Amino acid sequence: MSDFLLPTYNRQPVRFVRGEGPYLWDEAGVQYLDAVSGIAVTGLGHAHPDIAEAHCDQAKTLIHTSNLYGIPWQERLGERLAALSGMEKVFFGNSGSEANEAAIKLARLHGRRREIDSPKIVVMEHSFHGRTMAALAATGNAAIQKGFEPLLDGFVRVPYGDIAALEQVANDSQIVAVLLEPVQGEGGVRPAPTGYLAAVRALCDQQDWLMMVDEVQTGVARTGRWFGFQHEAEVLPDVMSLAKGLGNGVPIGACLTAGRATDLFGPGSHGSTFGGNPLVCRAAATVLEVIERDGLVMRAEKLGQSIADRIRDGLAGLDGFREVRGRGLMIGIELDRPAGELVGRALEQGLLINVTAGSVVRLLPPLILSESQADLIADRVIGVIRDWYAAN
């Protein structure tokens, strides 16, 4: 690997030069089945013809104008996202971190409107919201915060999925919002307990807090719904952040608002030079069109259930196997020990996987998988895990 790049990643010993559908090829022409999708980014797989056509046509037409001017593709994308989510307005940036920074700023403005001098946001243990300074401070992982202190003030942390713990901090008059993930991804693929999001919604209404949902990893059909919060009926957040799967590889993030959060930003209160330019918005609008046209939302739910069931059956009885959990094509396999070594072992078998929270194998395959490709992922995962335990 290059000596000229800062060592911010532990990279696997492979360079990919081509992709098609759920497959990647390295410099030697070896084929790999991608069960990571660039961490939930390439939901439509690699080199999707509709996305490629949209990129090429837009690049030949208009790539960028400033947000000082109207951008038709941005308006079209915002309208479509609002229709799919029930939200009302959208701000476009470049990443999930940037979308969450916008959410945090909205919470503070909401607090200032209530004449609260030191507004606080309730965040969750084991959460992940990004690596910019405010998003890092909101994140519930001390290991990735270490060395970057002093962190931004104004966050109160409670256990994820524990409504009683959230109610216990409600007497703090400085709290203005709750920020949570419908499924904690980096925290080990942990779905919110049934009824939790509705309970949070009710408490936010009671306390005049903003309910802010981080859908950076769970959004855009990943979990078998357009957005993860839609697994619970009658729940609509005040603020929702998106990124990863929205652009299928082009950098785009979005912060959506509803109700009392819609009029907090005004001209000059927030911005992004590259955010929402014609190229990325056309790409994202095409992603939404393809997902809807090809019925990929329900397909994610069906294939995810199939993979999870096959892995659960295939690992049954193995000492060290704890459980399979997740939603849709966001699947976690919890083992009884640190499992980072499995990433390299799977790579040797032509399979890309990821390990999070130390001992959880995470699968985020593309939504366009065939049934046979889904079975192949499950079978290779079972084989890699069983072989690893047998060797240890």
Side-chain angles (χ1 to χ4, degrees):
M1 296 296 175
S2 173
D3 292 331
F4 299 98
L5 301 177
L6 285 171
T8 52
Y9 299 95
N10 285 318
R11 299 180 192 270
Q12 294 297 310
V14 63
R15 293 180 176 88
F16 297 114
V17 296
R18 186 170 69 86
E20 183 178 341
Y23 292 105
L24 288 165
W25 285 264
D26 67 14
E27 295 166 307
V30 177
Q31 183 191 66
Y32 299 82
L33 184 53
D34 185 359
V36 176
S37 301
I39 313 295
V41 169
T42 52
L44 300 185
H46 303 282
H48 191 286
D50 294 283
I51 305 303
E53 182 180 353
H55 286 183
C56 292
D57 186 64
Q58 192 60 41
K60 290 187 289 187
T61 305
L62 183 66
I63 291 178
H64 179 81
T65 62
S66 169
N67 281 293
L68 293 173
Y69 314 104
I71 301 174
W73 275 105
Q74 187 182 107
E75 295 165 6
R76 181 170 169 177
L77 175 61
E79 181 179 358
R80 190 69 192 123
L81 285 172
L84 293 170
S85 66
M87 306 296 283
E88 297 175 41
K89 295 186 183 296
V90 188
F91 168 83
F92 289 108
N94 305 301
S95 67
S97 288
E98 198 175 332
N100 282 328
E101 293 280 336
I104 292 166
K105 290 178 72 173
L106 285 168
R108 291 203 165 192
L109 287 176
H110 177 62
R112 295 297 180 184
R113 178 172 289 182
R114 293 175 53 198
E115 299 183 346
I116 292 174
D117 293 332
S118 300
K120 299 177 184 176
I121 302 170
V122 183
V123 293
M124 304 294 151
E125 294 177 359
H126 307 297
S127 62
F128 183 83
H129 300 295
R131 297 177 188 274
T132 52
M133 286 307 293
L136 183 68
T139 289
N141 184 336
I144 69 168
Q145 294 171 331
K146 188 176 181 180
F148 299 108
E149 302 87 350
L151 299 172
L152 191 71
D153 291 334
F155 297 98
V156 176
R157 209 168 308 284
V158 300
Y160 181 64
D162 186 343
I163 193 65
L166 191 57
E167 291 170 344
Q168 285 179 0
V169 301
N171 61 353
D172 186 338
S173 62
Q174 303 299 298
I175 291 175
V176 299
V178 176
L179 174 62
L180 56 81
E181 301 156 279
V183 181
Q184 288 192 329
E186 299 296 324
V189 193
R190 298 182 182 280
T194 301
Y196 179 66
L197 297 182
V200 173
R201 176 70 273 177
L203 186 60
C204 286
D205 289 340
Q206 177 187 330
Q207 298 292 328
D208 194 15
W209 298 345
L210 296 183
M211 181 180 182
M212 308 199 301
V213 178
D214 180 339
E215 296 263 9
V216 168
Q217 189 167 145
T218 54
V220 198
R222 171 59 54 184
T223 69
R225 301 288 187 276
W226 275 106
F227 308 100
F229 75 82
Q230 293 172 333
H231 284 275
E232 288 196 29
E234 308 301 325
V235 172
L236 182 70
D238 300 295
V239 180
M240 175 176 72
S241 55
L242 293 177
K244 292 186 179 295
L246 182 56
N248 208 61
V250 297
I252 183 170
C255 181
L256 290 86
T257 61
R260 57 195 163 167
T262 57
D263 64 347
L264 293 169
F265 278 162
S269 58
H270 201 50
S272 174
T273 296
F274 297 107
N277 75 25
L279 181 69
V280 298
C281 285
R282 180 164 179 185
T286 307
V287 167
L288 300 182
E289 290 172 8
V290 172
I291 289 173
E292 185 166 46
R293 181 195 70 195
D294 295 349
L296 298 182
V297 179
M298 295 310 296
R299 186 171 183 78
E301 181 172 43
K302 177 184 175 184
L303 289 180
Q305 190 64 55
S306 173
I307 293 173
D309 288 346
R310 197 176 181 98
I311 291 175
R312 194 175 288 114
D313 291 344
L315 294 180
L318 176 69
D319 287 341
F321 165 59
R322 292 291 178 258
E323 66 171 334
V324 179
R325 58 177 179 254
R327 287 205 171 107
L329 287 172
M330 186 174 181
I331 301 166
I333 305 149
E334 180 157 2
L335 305 174
D336 70 341
R337 65 195 66 177
E341 183 184 341
L342 286 171
V343 175
R345 284 177 168 260
L347 188 70
E348 293 171 357
Q349 300 299 315
L351 177 68
L352 305 186
I353 63 170
N354 173 252
V355 169
T356 188
S359 59
V360 179
V361 175
R362 179 170 51 171
L363 304 179
L364 301 160
L367 314 178
I368 45 83
L369 285 178
S370 67
E371 282 79 2
S372 61
Q373 290 163 343
D375 289 346
L376 185 57
I377 287 175
D379 291 345
R380 287 190 184 177
V381 167
I382 293 165
V384 167
I385 292 176
R386 282 198 169 275
D387 288 349
W388 182 59
Y389 272 97
N392 290 280

